[in-house]
Amino acid sequence: MDTITSLREWLDDLIYYFAYFPLVIQIAIIVSVLAVTGTIVAYVYMILFRWQKQRQAKKERPLREQVNELLLEHIIYKSVGDPDAPVALPLEDFKALPLHKKWVADVLIDQLLEYRNNFTGDIPRLLRQLYLDLGLHHKSATVLRSGHRKAIINALVELSGMGVLLEKEHVLALTQSRDRYIRESACSYWVQCSPDAPFEFFSHVKEPLLAWEQFELFRIISLRKDIPMPSFAQWIDPQYHPSVISLCLKLAAYFQQPEAIPAMIKMLDTPDEQLRALTINNLGKLMALEVEPILVKMYPQQPDSCKLEILKALGRIGSGDFIDFLRQELEQTEDFLLMKHAAHSIVAHKALASGLIARLQQSLTGTRQQVLQHSLNPLIKY
Amino acid sequence: MYSVLLVEDDEFVCKAIEIILRKQDYIISIARNGQDAMQYLQKSKFDLVITDLMLPYANGMELVSKMRNELHLDVPILVLSAVTHEKTITEGFDIGVDDYLKKPFNPAELSSRVKRLIQQKEKNHLIH
């Protein structure tokens, strides 16, 4: 009681004298009060959030165990026995679950996704079939047309994880959404699930595909083994968005599509320096022999980033026809990076360059010789 | 009945492998990290060790190395990991890993590999 009274008196004093404090002290008190209140609110929020999560986990635990047992018993374990014997889906056992309750359906979907991510073989297909047979996809299909951003993204992630393509036209429209996150999820979903035209949206991209999106799309495309890859040259055209061209340049090189070389050569005239550098880089990866004289001819007018890529590309193509050009660059350039890459590219010519390397070791001095020696070290990655 | 030590920190994978192998009459012990695994290995004998590479405290490579060089165990080791880096896999074989299975995995494949490794171990024991 005494403590409460004295605290009250202290607060009364503080309020009474507050007006008489210097301005700096008044500001300090306000800032301190705000900081303490903010910290308390944050902690209370964290405690409540964790408590709610824990309560939810406790509620879901028995159901998760039940679902685990059903999946392991009827699908996973049966597929171990005789891989060729057809596995009958235990629909009745799953229908016995109260799937009309949202949280039950969510737990089941969550488990199905987890199993699909962790197992290969016939299991992902069986789990997808179970998902469809139980009608768990209906909710996501409805949500796709709702206006709730978070719900749409979650539905796209769920359907993509289950490998189910629904609402084709609508999803294709979502790949043009003004919301970056919806657009990103829809693109990934479309590329991952579309059976016949996963790259259709490339032609309609108006907003840039960010570096991370390109990385993710590249990963998904490189993992798709169920469809033949189209010729990515069709999108290596200035009429398409530069980020689409950039992604397709990388894909054409990754899938070793030499038919993309003519389209790539046309791209060398682009005023976009970054795109030009990327084009040169990928021409090198495709070992486009016919491009060597073009690269050498354009070299003097190029900015440093493109010059660097030209030197790298000449090393990758390695025909030996322009080894003298590389030597000249190594001997004359004052730019350290260009010097380094000229040396690397000479060394990359291997047997074709052995005589030249021996001569250069004798004739070069100082930094240039050190750079050449460095490039000859096989432990240093090119 | 053959005994298998499973070293895995992912609860889901643990549970799945446990059920798959238990149904096939293997006795399964589970260690959640490299340190626990070492304790198990010092106390009991196993016919096979299945281990992940990314483990807390002591990773899978350290565990394999300790098993071969400190405990001098000749138990077959199957690595089950999402690591696909070629160099890491080769290093694993160099220090004594017997087989490697990539995550996500096919349970039927895991089952056959486990069976093969144990049979191979038995054969080697008969020869020596």
Side-chain angles (χ1 to χ4, degrees):
Chain A
M1 200 63 186
D2 279 351
T3 322
I4 294 169
T5 319
S6 57
L7 184 69
R8 208 171 176 176
E9 279 171 8
W10 180 77
L11 274 174
D12 284 344
D13 281 353
L14 187 70
I15 292 161
Y16 178 77
Y17 290 113
F18 184 77
Y20 302 103
F21 287 148
L23 181 67
V24 180
I25 302 295
Q26 284 180 342
I27 293 170
I29 290 172
I30 291 169
V31 170
S32 306
V33 168
L34 286 176
V36 170
T37 316
T39 311
I40 292 169
V41 169
Y43 270 99
V44 169
Y45 175 77
M46 279 194 284
I47 290 166
L48 285 176
F49 182 75
R50 284 186 183 185
W51 175 73
Q52 197 188 7
K53 281 270 166 204
Q54 211 175 358
R55 220 173 59 145
Q56 194 184 344
K58 199 176 165 186
K59 181 176 149 192
E60 288 174 358
R61 198 171 301 134
L63 178 68
R64 280 189 191 273
E65 277 171 16
Q66 194 185 348
V67 171
N68 264 338
E69 269 174 35
L70 286 171
L71 290 172
L72 285 166
E73 184 74 31
H74 294 288
I75 297 183
I76 313 297
Y77 186 65
K78 278 192 181 157
S79 69
V80 177
D82 179 5
D84 296 330
V87 177
L89 291 173
L91 282 180
E92 290 311 314
D93 293 319
F94 280 98
K95 277 180 183 165
L97 298 170
L99 291 173
H100 59 278
K101 290 182 184 168
K102 188 183 170 295
W103 73 271
V104 175
D106 286 348
V107 166
L108 179 55
I109 292 168
D110 194 40
Q111 294 290 91
L112 289 175
L113 286 170
E114 178 132 33
Y115 275 74
R116 265 181 70 91
N117 290 337
N118 277 289
F119 294 113
T120 56
D122 203 28
I123 294 168
R125 187 190 63 78
L126 291 169
L127 296 169
R128 179 182 181 272
Q129 197 55 49
L130 184 66
Y131 174 78
L132 290 172
D133 289 351
L134 290 172
L136 295 169
H137 58 292
H138 295 314
K139 191 197 80 185
S140 294
T142 322
V143 164
L144 282 182
R145 290 195 175 271
S146 74
H148 302 291
R149 177 174 176 269
K150 202 177 163 190
I152 294 174
I153 294 171
N154 285 343
L156 287 168
V157 171
E158 177 189 313
L159 291 168
S160 148
M162 292 309 305
V164 174
L165 182 63
L166 299 170
E167 303 276 346
K168 284 187 189 179
E169 293 303 316
H170 184 60
V171 172
L172 206 51
L174 288 180
T175 60
Q176 311 294 320
S177 166
R178 277 188 301 174
D179 185 306
R180 188 160 69 83
Y181 294 102
I182 293 182
R183 199 169 62 235
E184 190 183 322
S185 307
C187 290
S188 301
Y189 173 49
W190 185 260
V191 167
Q192 191 165 339
C193 297
S194 172
D196 41 10
F199 310 104
E200 202 177 314
F201 74 91
F202 278 5
S203 311
H204 314 292
V205 169
K206 288 185 187 75
E207 299 290 332
L209 297 170
L210 301 179
W212 170 251
E213 285 177 71
Q214 287 188 40
F215 179 79
E216 182 62 10
L217 288 172
F218 187 93
R219 188 189 66 81
I220 297 170
I221 294 168
S222 62
L223 286 175
R224 274 202 81 165
K225 308 285 180 211
D226 57 327
I227 49 160
M229 284 300 144
S231 169
F232 291 104
Q234 58 187 299
W235 293 287
I236 302 175
D237 189 313
Q239 64 167 306
Y240 296 114
H241 196 279
S243 60
V244 170
I245 301 175
S246 144
L247 176 63
C248 290
L249 285 169
K250 293 176 206 160
L251 286 166
Y254 178 80
F255 288 103
Q256 286 294 302
Q257 297 183 336
E259 67 272 21
I261 294 172
M264 286 162 122
I265 291 174
K266 278 184 198 159
M267 284 307 297
L268 291 174
D269 296 331
T270 177
D272 183 336
E273 180 188 323
Q274 222 179 338
L275 199 57
R276 199 160 62 240
L278 190 68
T279 308
I280 299 166
N281 180 297
N282 285 291
L283 279 166
K285 285 180 183 166
L286 276 173
M287 297 185 164
L289 214 60
E290 61 269 48
V291 90
E292 274 189 324
I294 305 172
L295 295 180
V296 173
K297 194 177 168 197
M298 67 192 275
Y299 186 84
Q301 298 87 40
Q302 296 305 311
D304 281 355
S305 62
C306 292
K307 280 185 173 173
L308 205 71
E309 292 303 337
I310 291 176
L311 294 176
K312 280 195 214 173
L314 291 176
R316 283 191 178 121
I317 300 168
S319 70
D321 293 346
F322 293 90
I323 203 161
D324 259 351
F325 168 78
L326 293 169
R327 177 193 54 79
Q328 202 181 324
E329 202 54 25
L330 172 63
E331 286 175 339
Q332 290 172 5
T333 184
E334 291 305 321
D335 186 301
F336 182 78
L337 273 179
L338 295 181
M339 197 190 296
K340 192 179 103 178
H341 282 284
H344 272 308
S345 291
I346 291 173
V347 174
H349 278 72
K350 296 186 178 151
L352 287 175
S354 55
L356 175 65
I357 292 171
R359 284 199 301 278
L360 285 171
Q361 278 175 314
Q362 299 296 320
S363 63
L364 291 176
T365 53
T367 312
R368 290 178 211 278
Q369 193 186 37
Q370 280 177 347
V371 166
L372 182 65
Q373 283 309 119
H374 172 91
S375 305
L376 285 166
N377 186 342
L379 295 175
I380 297 169
K381 290 277 173 200
Y382 179 26
Chain B
M1 296 269 263
Y2 297 106
S3 59
V4 176
L5 173 65
L6 172 63
V7 194
E8 173 66 66
D9 59 335
D10 185 326
E11 203 176 325
F12 172 81
V13 178
C14 261
K15 181 94 181 155
I17 297 178
E18 191 187 353
I19 291 189
I20 293 164
L21 296 183
R22 201 160 269 171
K23 287 258 184 189
Q24 295 176 318
D25 290 336
Y26 292 103
I27 301 165
I28 310 291
S29 305
I30 295 172
R32 294 302 182 139
N33 56 55
Q35 280 178 0
D36 287 356
M38 284 298 280
Q39 285 177 358
Y40 268 110
L41 289 162
Q42 278 161 348
K43 282 182 204 161
S44 331
K45 277 197 161 187
F46 293 94
D47 296 297
L48 175 75
V49 174
I50 302 175
T51 180
D52 190 1
L53 285 183
M54 312 297 274
L55 292 166
Y57 306 121
N59 70 37
M61 293 295 242
E62 284 170 36
L63 175 69
V64 174
S65 169
K66 280 181 184 171
M67 280 171 67
R68 297 300 191 218
N69 302 324
E70 286 179 23
L71 302 178
H72 303 289
L73 296 173
D74 64 347
V75 55
I77 301 170
L78 167 64
V79 166
L80 179 65
S81 172
V83 175
T84 50
H85 193 229
E86 247 174 61
K87 204 178 157 205
T88 315
I89 299 171
T90 328
E91 270 173 25
F93 284 123
D94 286 344
I95 61 166
V97 169
D98 293 278
D99 202 355
Y100 182 89
L101 187 58
K102 191 173 91 64
K103 278 183 194 170
F105 64 98
N106 185 342
E109 194 181 348
L110 172 76
S111 175
S112 353
R113 284 180 192 238
V114 166
K115 204 168 152 188
R116 186 184 57 83
L117 283 169
I118 292 179
Q119 276 173 354
Q120 215 167 352
K121 188 200 165 202
E122 295 241 297
K123 263 188 204 169
N124 288 347
H125 274 248
L126 283 175
I127 292 167
H128 298 295

